[in-house]
Structures are given as C-alpha cells and as structure tokens.
Amino acid sequence: MSVKKAALILLLGAAVVPAIGQQAPAPGARDAASPAAPVGVGTSTRGTVDEQALRYFAAQGDTRRLETEIARLRALYPDWTPPADLLGPAQVDVELARMWQLFGEGKISDVRSAIAARQAADPRWVVPPDLIARIDEAEARRRLVNASDAGQWATVLRIATETPGLLVCANVDVLWRVADAFVKTGNNERARDAFGYVLGRCTDAGERLATMQKAMQVLDDAGLAELMKLEHRGPDGAGEFAALRDDMVRRRLGRAADDPSLSVSADDIATIEALARRDSQPGDALLLGWYLYRHNENARALDWFKLAFDRNGGAKAAEGYVLALSAAKRPLDAEPIAYKWRESSPQNEKAYLDVVVGLLAADPPLRLAPDILTRFSAVVIKSRYASGAQALGWYAYNTGQLPAAANWFATALEWKPDDEPAAYGLAVVRLRLRDTAGLNAIVRAWQGRSERILALVSPDARRRLERQQPAAGTVPVAGAVAPGAVVVAAPAAAPVARVAVAAPLPADAVVAPISPEERADYGSGGGAAAALSGGRHGRCVAMTDAAFRAGRLAPGEAVARGWCLMELERPMEAASAFDMALRTATGRTAEDAAYGKSLAYLRKGMTNAAAVAATESPQDPRRQTQLNMDILAQQAVNAYRDQRYVEALIALDERNRLVPEQAGLMILRGWCYFQLNDMRSAERIFKALAASGNVEAQSGVNAILEKTRKIRT
C-alpha cells in the first residue's frame, strides 16, 4: 500500500469525507514507471486531463454522460475548464473511441479485452491513464455496491478510501452508501459529513432533496440542523427543503410518541394539527393521537384517533381509538369497534381483550348485554386466554351462577395450571357451594404456594395473611386478586338491608323483612299492588286458594297471592305461588315473581335457594343489587351461626363491595374476628362503634378485655 493510500485510510477513519474526494489521484499525472503514484489536487494542467471520453460523449450527443463527465473532471481538477472545441476537428483514435463506447455501455471486461488486443498488436501504444482509472473506479464501484448490499460496512469504507475518485457528485449513490456505512458502524458524525459533502458540492436538485431525506432517517435533530444550513434558496427566497420541514416535525412527534419520556414543542403540535385538518389522509391525525395518548392527554387523543378512524386509518387507528375510548371511561363504545378489528393484529386483539376484561371489572359495575359476553366467551375459548376465563368466572360468581363460575375457573386452570388467581377463584366457589372435598383438594394442591387459598380453611393462615397486609381485618376475596382476575358485582345504588346483631350473635338474628315502603318502591306488579291495598291480605289468599290448588292462576294473580302470603308471614307458601307464576310469566311479571321467590327464601334463611331464584328472571339493577346485598348479609349470619367465621367474613367483604357496611354488620364482623382470636381487628371495630354510643359494640370491647385479661372479674 502506498503512503498516500495509508494516509487516506487514516483520514477516512477520522471521517474527513470531503477530504477523500479532494485527494483523488490525477490520472494524467501517472507515468508508466509508477502508475499508482497520485498527484495532489491543484497540480494538474490542461495537458494532464484526458478528454477522450468527454469528446466521445459529445460526438455521440449523449448529454447526460457528457454532463456527468464534466462534473467528474471538475471535481478531480479544480482548475480545469471544458474545451470550447469539443465538437470541433480533433484527432480521433477510432479504437480508443470504441473502448470508451464499451466503457459507456458498462462492458468493463470487453474494455479490458480490447486494451489487451491493442497492446498485443501495438506494443508501443500506451493506455490513457484516465481510461485505466475509470475502469478501476467502475470495478471498485461494483465491489462497493455489492458490499453495501451485503451489509459489509467495513469493506464499503475500505473501498471508498482506496478509490477516492468514486467520491464525487457523479456518484452520489456511492456517497449515500458511504454515509450509510458510517451510520451502521456507529459513527453518525461522519455520516453527517458525508451528507454535508453532497449538499456542499453537488447541484442536482433531486439528488440534494434525496440526500436530505436519507439524512432525516438516521441523524438526530442537531445533525439535521447543521445540514439545513447548506440549503439553497431560490430567487423568491424559498428554501429547497421547505417541504421537508413538516416531515422533520412529524419525525420528532413520532419519536416522542414511541418514547413518552420525550416531548415536542407546542409549535410542533400546532404544525401537525394544521396539517391534519388540511389533509384528507389519516396519517397526521393518527400521529397526533398516539403522541397525545402516550403523554396522558386522552381527551385530545380521542378526537384525533376518531378523525383518523373516520378517514379509514386502518387497524392502527382502530387500536388507538379503542384505547382512547377506554381511557375516557367509555368501554361500552369501544367494545364493538375492538371486536370488529380484533383479528387485524396482535395489538388489536389485546385491545379487545383488555376492553372486555375492563368492562367485567368496572366499579361501579356495568350491566352488560348478553351478546358482549357471548362473543367474548367465544374469543376466550378460541385463544385459550386464561385471564379472560378468570374474568368470566368472577362475573358468573358475582351474579349467583356458581356452577358456571366453577367451570370458567377450572378452564383457566386447564389452560394455565400454575394460575393461582384461577385456583383461588375455584376455591372460593367450592367454599360457597359447601363442596368440602373439592375445596380440600384445591388447598392440598396449592399448599405451600398460596397462603390465601389456605386461609379459606385455616384461621392461622388467615391471621398470618392479615399481618402481611397494610389494612388489618380483611381477607382476599373475590375482587382482591392479581391483575387479570376480575370480580364484577351487580349494579349498585339501593337501600341497605338491615341486620339485627347482638353480642354474641343471638339465635334470632335474621335479615329484616322487607318493609311495605320498600316493596312499593320496588313494585310488585299491577295485581299485587291492588291486592296489598287496604290490608286485605287474608281475603286475597282465600279468594285464590281454589284456583291455586287447581293450577289455574294467571301469572299476575299468582304474583299477587305470593305478596299477600309474604304479608301474612307465610314465606314458603309465598315461594310456591311465585314459582307458579314463573312457569308461564314473561317480562315484568316474571321479574316480580323471581324477586318475590328470592325474598321468600331469604325470609326463611335459605340463602342458596334465594340466590338461585334471583337468577330465574333478569332483574333491574336496583332490585338485583338489593337481592345481592340481602343474600350476602344472610349468608354471613348463617355462616356465623355455623361457626364458619372465615366464610362469614368473605360474605361481608363481598357485600362491602356493593355498599358501605352499616353498624349491625360491622358488629357481626367484629364478632367474627373475636371468634378467630384476631383481637386487634375486633377491638378496632368495637371501639370505633362504641365511641358513637353503640351499646352492643361496648359489649364487644368488654368481651375482649375479659378474654385478654386486661380487667379482673
């Protein structure tokens, strides 16, 4: 390697790209003894420039190649000017002209063959150095392009260093590839120099614009700002890169949309907003939507996503629109869009699943249309989505469909055997169904892996778990589960059920019967209202006895009979009347019958039967909430009587999700803790209530003092 080439390698390593072009060897300065010895720029004279190719292209009328050759020679010989007599008389070497023709056609091997043939025929003939240089450059260019296409970036830079004659405006593609090689080898500053070389020396408007566009793909804002200083301006003062300024703003916004830690100026946002309003395409609106969404400006993002979606923005616009609707607390609006686009991409599928899981987990809960659950179930099964199965399990659990809940939780475990939230849900269902064997099997399977599953059957585990939680006195129940396991209760906002509780709990503690005012508030159907007026309950029962025994009561009459029997404190007979109505009733009458039947069973303390009855006909949200509250309160009372204190707390916790807990149930909770020897939690509740003057709570405080021997008796 010559000293000059070694120096060029060092210069390229230091990324002085403009220097590479300027240090190209002057072909005409080489002699036969040392054909590779370069001559510095500025030492050439008119006689050292080989103008054969120039004259050949002029004679052929090939304007493009003529202009390219002039540009090449000017880059190599700054003091050279094209001859004025290019088309005038000149001594033309026919064979040499043919060689240049072959070269112009890209037939490099044919040129070398022609050179060899002429040298063999005329040993005294000397190949013009410029032709040799051009052939060498053409072959080097081919090697450089191949290396670039193959991603051999070090080879690209080596060839460019060894063949600086390539680095001229006539070979702008080579300069772009060199810049790309610098980027790929982590030297963006040198890439900026390469782009700057083109913008500082080359004049072709299209190539200059393309150079800036390529630079925008790889350089940072500071590098682009430096290149923009090389912009040419027209007579009207307009810059040649004016159109790219909007693209540069889009690029900044796009990067900040992908990385929320970045932000853009208000001017940048205003620019894209103006473009989005002016354009009919979705691109700018979609870009704005993602930037604003990722920077927690959901309301503004929603408007732009909707605009992009309305402009047929495709899957990405649908995804953004769904996410923004969800963030705006409008999941019911998002669900049909999410479902329609769910198969467009993995991101759209995830958006759909998240929307429906969010709907199931809404607090306060939402009353969902059956078709939402039906199609979500189909998607969950098809994709074997364990978290979706959990969500459906909790939904079924909280709407009293315990067998369905068990199936969904079991399905989630089948798909994902190590899914502890699903196992916990299944355990809670087994507990509610009093399936001791099934519950114990789950506890054994998860022993040592889930403390909260063990806590369902072990008071010691429960106390250990409570000590680990910030708020003492609560046990993980439906709803207090890991992300993805969802609890949905019935819609809330109804009068609170009343529970009479003594300390310790007396035998006659039951859910108070529904008052006439509450019944009038909820309604009992037209026939029932008429029967209840004037206190004629006994007569209404007597009048319908014969028809009831014969099974000929119309649904409305059967419902009226049921309410009359409820007023006469004959709940089991009332349940039979309501059941008769349910066999043929529809609409509001069926709803009244199911509601009355559930209340009748509650009056007898038959909470499981009440829960089943409540599902026999859909209830309006207010009634459903009231029933859920009454059922859970009665379950807590029954569990306490049976000394199933953990189960009583679970029922209370579930009810507490619907409405705040009133004093009577708080006292019941306190006695549960007392019986579980959790004196700290019990004392906290009793003392809080005693401070408000509650006598029963003071009895609890005294019981704790006695048990802990803080007072002497």
Side-chain angles (χ1 to χ4, degrees), residues 189-254:
E189 184 178 354
R190 302 287 70 84
R192 183 198 63 194
D193 291 341
F195 290 128
Y197 178 78
V198 176
L199 298 178
R201 289 167 174 76
C202 305
T203 58
D204 183 272
E207 291 175 348
R208 290 174 60 82
L209 183 64
T211 298
M212 197 63 194
Q213 290 172 327
K214 290 178 179 295
M216 287 174 58
Q217 298 174 12
V218 295
L219 298 186
D220 58 19
D221 292 342
L224 292 177
E226 289 296 316
L227 295 182
M228 290 294 285
K229 295 177 182 178
L230 301 174
E231 182 181 30
H232 291 171
R233 295 194 174 274
D236 59 353
E240 61 180 327
F241 301 143
L244 297 183
R245 283 183 166 80
D246 291 339
D247 290 337
M248 292 173 68
V249 176
R250 291 186 179 100
R251 191 188 77 146
R252 288 195 293 270
L253 209 66

Side-chain angles (χ1 to χ4, degrees), residues 357-369:
V357 168
L359 281 169
L360 296 173
D363 187 15
L366 301 171
R367 188 173 187 177
L368 301 179

Side-chain angles (χ1 to χ4, degrees), residues 125-213:
W125 180 73
V126 177
V127 184
D130 197 34
L131 179 58
I132 293 295
R134 294 296 299 279
I135 293 173
D136 290 343
E137 288 173 4
E139 292 177 337
R141 186 183 189 282
R142 185 177 62 225
R143 293 197 307 275
L144 186 147
V145 170
N146 291 339
S148 176
D149 291 341
Q152 299 170 355
W153 312 116
T155 301
V156 171
L157 297 177
R158 177 180 58 78
I159 295 172
T161 302
E162 295 176 348
T163 321
L166 289 175
L167 306 179
V168 293
C169 294
N171 295 321
V172 71
D173 177 66
V174 170
L175 290 168
W176 291 339
R177 290 176 184 270
V178 170
D180 197 29
F182 277 129
V183 171
K184 294 301 193 299
T185 54
N187 202 334
N188 284 16
E189 184 178 354
R190 302 287 70 84
R192 183 198 63 194
D193 291 341
F195 290 128
Y197 178 78
V198 176
L199 298 178
R201 289 167 174 76
C202 305
T203 58
D204 183 272
E207 291 175 348
R208 290 174 60 82
L209 183 64
T211 298
M212 197 63 194
Q213 290 172 327

